[in-house]
Amino acid sequence: MNSAPTPDLDVVIAWIESRLTDDQYPESDARRLFHGRGHSFPGFSWLTVDRYADYILIAAFGEPDEVRSAVLERLVGWLHDRLPSLQGIVLQSRQGRRTGARVVHGEVPDIISAQEAGLTFELQPMRNQNVGLFLDMRPVRDWLRSNAQGKRVLNLFAYTCAFSVHAVAGGASTVVNNDMARPVLDWGVRNHRLNGQGLDGIRMLPHNLLKSWGKMARLAPFDIIVSDPPTNQGGSFNAEKHYPVLFKKLSAMLAPAGQLVACLNSPFAGPEFLRDNAARYASTLSHRFDFPVHPDFPDATPERSLKVQVYSR
Ligand SMILES: C[S@@+](CC[C@H](N)C(=O)[O-])C[C@H]1O[C@@H](n2cnc3c(N)ncnc32)[C@H](O)[C@@H]1O
């Protein structure tokens, strides 16, 4: 018999209810509704709930058990009753590198779209792990949009080009997107088109960044560089090994008043990781500010959560 106490789902439901009713983000229907991964909700560090328009994505991390199944069943029932327009709910089971996605309510097409600050993004909810938009980066995308007017932007590790779409919406004069995976840059092209953004002035470079510095340097200088790499992705990027190279190369590609946005999403390195590397390998740059922890992503140990820092000369 499972003797683990049943965690109090009412706490989760109250949090989700507050997110559904706070009107925090106009013209948006993509949002993290519940973030248990930051260990701020005892008994729920295995659970996240995201909303993308009329679809919900629940992610359950670790081994399933009876208590969790009961929690998930109640949660799905509550979401169905609470959101009359809901079309479907996907449950992602994430155990280490193994991920499976299945529809647990309604119907879910392979491709849907959702809005962020009036911009539209293609999402693929049945994909393993990442569905096309990293919700925790929203404040950084808002900042980029507000600061992009007339700027030459370099978007590294561009993925589906969400930063690029916001930069163009904010009036960027050019955006260079780099990602080693061509399919995600093609997805980025579709995201630009969904927003009626022509591709003049937008470049897509499908290369391993660490092997294509020459090409990037020829396109410099840039007024804003966004660097949002994975923490550790096979042989292609390792933050510990490669962030020093990034700081060195990127500081040389910045225009005189340029700004570098350095991101790191690792629970194993605190904010000092980026600051120490910047001081050592980009000594011409000064640290300007850290983005605060996103309120939709509360974390009992904030230094373990996403780090985003802005540098300039
Ligand atoms: C964390 S995602 C970036 C998310 C993106 N900045 C956003 O906010 O939507 C990491 C991306 O880095 C790419 N990547 C990993 N190593 C790379 C490398 N050495 N050169 C170019 N792209 C790389 C992956 O293909 C992946 O799309």
Side-chain angles (χ1 to χ4, degrees):
M1 208 177 100
N2 195 329
S3 58
T6 304
D8 184 2
L9 186 63
D10 291 344
V11 174
V12 177
I13 286 176
W15 181 272
I16 295 178
E17 185 61 41
S18 72
R19 266 46 207 162
L20 291 174
T21 48
D22 71 1
D23 288 333
Q24 183 75 23
Y25 301 122
E27 291 189 85
S28 301
D29 55 16
R31 186 165 182 185
R32 175 136 307 180
L33 295 179
F34 179 76
H35 182 71
R37 300 294 289 157
H39 297 271
S40 293
F41 300 92
F44 288 103
S45 60
W46 55 277
L47 180 68
T48 65
V49 182
D50 293 337
R51 180 181 196 176
Y52 298 104
D54 291 331
Y55 299 90
I56 296 282
L57 177 70
I58 298 175
F61 293 75
E63 288 294 323
D65 61 27
E66 278 174 34
V67 172
R68 291 183 184 195
S69 300
V71 163
L72 289 171
E73 195 177 318
R74 225 187 111 199
L75 181 60
V76 168
W78 182 81
L79 287 163
H80 166 253
D81 293 344
R82 174 63 182 80
L83 298 168
S85 64
L86 198 65
Q87 299 293 310
I89 300 179
V90 175
L91 174 63
Q92 250 188 19
S93 304
R94 296 174 64 155
Q95 294 167 52
R97 290 188 182 276
R98 277 186 299 135
T99 305
R102 67 190 168 90
V103 177
V104 290
H105 170 74
E107 286 181 20
V108 181
D110 288 340
I111 294 183
I112 62 171
S113 65
Q115 297 253 314
E116 183 178 81
L119 298 170
T120 305
F121 294 90
E122 173 187 311
L123 300 157
Q124 300 186 11
M126 298 303 292
R127 273 172 85 97
N128 289 342
Q129 301 207 2
N130 304 323
V131 301
L133 187 67
F134 286 99
L135 298 172
D136 53 354
M137 279 292 175
R138 179 183 179 129
V140 191
R141 289 189 287 269
D142 287 344
W143 176 89
L144 180 62
R145 187 171 177 175
S146 308
N147 286 276
Q149 184 62 47
K151 301 281 169 58
R152 296 159 294 181
V153 176
L154 175 61
N155 181 25
L156 298 175
F157 311 96
Y159 185 50
T160 57
C161 302
F163 278 117
S164 181
V165 170
H166 277 262
V168 172
S173 61
T174 57
V175 185
V176 175
N177 292 292
N178 170 252
D179 199 290
M180 64 182 201
R182 183 182 274 283
V184 288
L185 292 181
D186 292 343
W187 190 339
V189 168
R190 297 197 294 277
N191 277 334
H192 281 290
R193 291 205 171 114
L194 273 177
N195 291 287
Q197 297 174 340
L199 297 177
D200 288 354
I202 303 172
R203 291 185 74 149
M204 301 289 178
L205 300 182
H207 305 291
N208 183 327
L209 174 66
L210 304 172
K211 295 181 181 163
S212 62
W213 286 114
K215 190 159 205 160
M216 224 56 83
R218 278 194 294 281
L219 296 169
F222 299 99
D223 302 303
I224 300 180
I225 300 179
V226 180
S227 164
D228 178 24
T231 305
N232 195 354
Q233 187 179 322
S236 63
F237 193 87
N238 175 284
E240 201 126 336
K241 186 170 160 199
H242 295 125
Y243 238 119
V245 186
L246 284 186
F247 272 116
K248 223 186 274 181
K249 301 276 189 189
L250 299 181
S251 56
M253 289 187 208
L254 267 188
Q259 292 172 288
L260 169 64
V261 184
C263 314
L264 182 69
N265 199 353
S266 166
F268 307 113
E272 70 289 349
F273 172 86
L274 290 174
R275 274 205 283 276
D276 290 351
N277 272 291
R280 203 155 161 202
Y281 299 102
S283 56
T284 57
L285 300 185
S286 302
H287 172 259
R288 297 299 172 196
F289 66 93
D290 282 42
F291 278 84
V293 175
H294 187 322
D296 288 350
F297 291 75
D299 205 305
T301 320
E303 52 287 6
R304 286 172 63 88
S305 66
L306 172 68
K307 272 112 348 223
V308 183
Q309 300 178 354
V310 176
Y311 292 84
S312 69
R313 280 191 223 291

